Amino acid sequence: MIHGITGARRASVATVIALTTGALLAGGAFASGAQAAAPPTPSITAKGGFVMNNGTGKTLYTKAADTRRPTGSTTKIMTARVVLAQKNLNLDSKVTIQKAYSDYIVSQNASSARLIVGDKVTVRQLLYGLMLPSGCDAAYALADKFGSGSTRAARVKSFIGKMNASAKSLGLKNTHFDSFDGIGSGKNYSTPRDLTKLASNAMKNSTFRAIVKTKSTKQKVTTKSGGYRYMEWANTNPLLGGYSGAIGVKTGSGPTAKYCLVFAATRNGKTVIGTVLTSSSVTSRTTDAKKLLDYGFKK
């Protein structure tokens, strides 16, 4: 009788063990399946792309990330960084807009902040004019102001030298600038990885961060006669207001650069930052960036 009870208990225990083991195995299989379901790698139209976690520096996505390509106006990230790195920088110091800046815009058919000759515009305002409407006139004014030399040509050359020195100091081995705005003579290039690293570094500056996340601004500038006028600038970056958490950074385009975008967004304390170069259209550039940001946040 005792043996019968013990046998029944043994059978019961064995059943429980078998059921528990089966459940654990099933659970293990389920867990493995969940871990394996990583987000699918997105397909983008851009010829080059790179995404990283801005907090850790971890690479999240690459596509021809180290192939040198024209950068268009994403070059202006470095223009702004060089200005903001100047010692004893006074953002409220005024720069008088020269005819040479507007002549340059006309001759190059370049994007413009519509600066008016004779107006006195602060350095801070020039940075807004540089980064929001992508003003090549603002870029020229900043290069003229912060380069060294007795002639405008010498000052511009000096400023571009500072851009390249800055690239070298940041370890951007596949980056070279031959202009202050991206309109170069074929020797203005970078890579998705380098531009992302540059933007990540620039975003450490609070003034830069404040500017590149601004959708639009109205700035009061002093006119030649001593009066004032308002300049209104809208940001060319469609992610601002078009993608939840977007905080920057800069669009770019050109005949050879096609359509470029350096982008960043923050969600739940995580910042994803990246670059697409040589996308096929304005729409594709935006779609590419959104895909890569979505992917970056899931990684």
Side-chain angles (χ1 to χ4, degrees):
M1 194 70 174
I2 294 167
H3 289 302
I5 294 166
T6 306
R9 281 180 180 162
R10 279 178 183 158
S12 176
V13 170
T15 302
V16 170
I17 290 169
L19 288 168
T20 306
T21 305
L24 287 169
L25 286 169
F30 179 79
S32 299
Q35 285 165 0
T41 304
S43 173
I44 60 172
T45 62
K47 289 186 178 178
F50 180 81
V51 181
M52 74 178 191
N53 181 320
N54 195 51
T56 64
K58 182 185 176 184
T59 297
L60 303 176
Y61 172 93
T62 63
K63 177 183 178 180
D66 299 306
T67 301
R68 296 173 176 181
R69 300 185 188 280
T71 56
S73 286
T74 61
T75 297
K76 291 165 182 160
I77 297 170
M78 182 60 93
T79 309
R81 187 194 180 277
V82 168
V83 171
L84 290 166
Q86 298 300 304
K87 289 181 180 177
N88 305 313
L89 176 66
N90 178 5
L91 288 166
D92 297 316
S93 64
K94 292 185 176 180
V95 176
T96 302
I97 303 306
Q98 306 295 317
K99 186 174 182 292
Y101 311 156
S102 57
D103 287 349
Y104 173 78
I105 292 295
V106 174
S107 68
Q108 298 293 329
N109 191 27
S111 53
S112 169
R114 304 182 310 280
L115 300 175
I116 295 168
V117 177
D119 280 5
K120 291 179 174 58
V121 183
T122 68
V123 171
R124 189 192 310 274
Q125 289 169 336
L126 285 173
L127 287 167
Y128 274 97
L130 173 79
M131 299 303 284
L132 271 65
S134 199
C136 296
D137 44 358
Y140 196 166
L142 289 166
D144 193 8
K145 164 79 172 173
F146 292 102
S148 303
S150 57
T151 65
R152 185 171 290 122
R155 291 191 291 273
V156 166
K157 184 178 180 181
S158 161
F159 187 87
I160 295 167
K162 291 182 181 184
M163 293 170 72
N164 286 312
S166 183
K168 188 175 181 181
S169 73
L170 292 172
L172 309 182
K173 295 178 181 177
N174 290 304
T175 298
H176 179 78
F177 300 105
D178 69 349
S179 72
F180 47 72
D181 57 2
I183 303 174
S185 55
K187 295 177 182 174
N188 208 85
Y189 59 78
S190 189
T191 68
R193 190 190 306 270
D194 276 7
L195 275 175
T196 303
K197 287 182 176 179
L198 167 59
S200 178
N201 178 270
M203 290 290 269
K204 292 177 181 178
N205 183 284
S206 59
T207 301
F208 184 90
R209 285 198 308 274
I211 291 170
V212 298
K213 74 177 183 182
T214 301
K215 277 184 71 176
S216 62
T217 186
K218 190 175 183 179
Q219 299 282 337
K220 185 178 181 179
V221 304
T222 306
T223 64
K224 188 176 183 179
S225 62
Y228 65 88
R229 79 173 92 246
Y230 285 100
M231 303 298 289
E232 294 187 47
W233 296 311
N235 203 314
T236 57
N237 183 358
L239 295 178
L240 298 174
Y243 186 87
S244 176
I247 56 172
V249 177
K250 186 73 188 74
T251 57
S253 61
T256 52
K258 301 303 179 186
Y259 300 92
C260 313
L261 182 56
V262 181
F263 51 85
T266 300
R267 289 181 180 176
N268 301 318
K270 178 182 179 179
T271 298
V272 174
I273 190 164
T275 300
V276 288
L277 292 181
T278 327
S279 197
S280 55
S281 68
V282 170
T283 304
S284 295
R285 162 179 83 183
T286 306
T287 302
D288 286 346
K290 286 180 176 179
K291 280 184 184 178
L292 293 183
L293 283 167
D294 286 346
Y295 182 71
F297 283 118
K298 287 174 186 171
K299 288 281 278 184

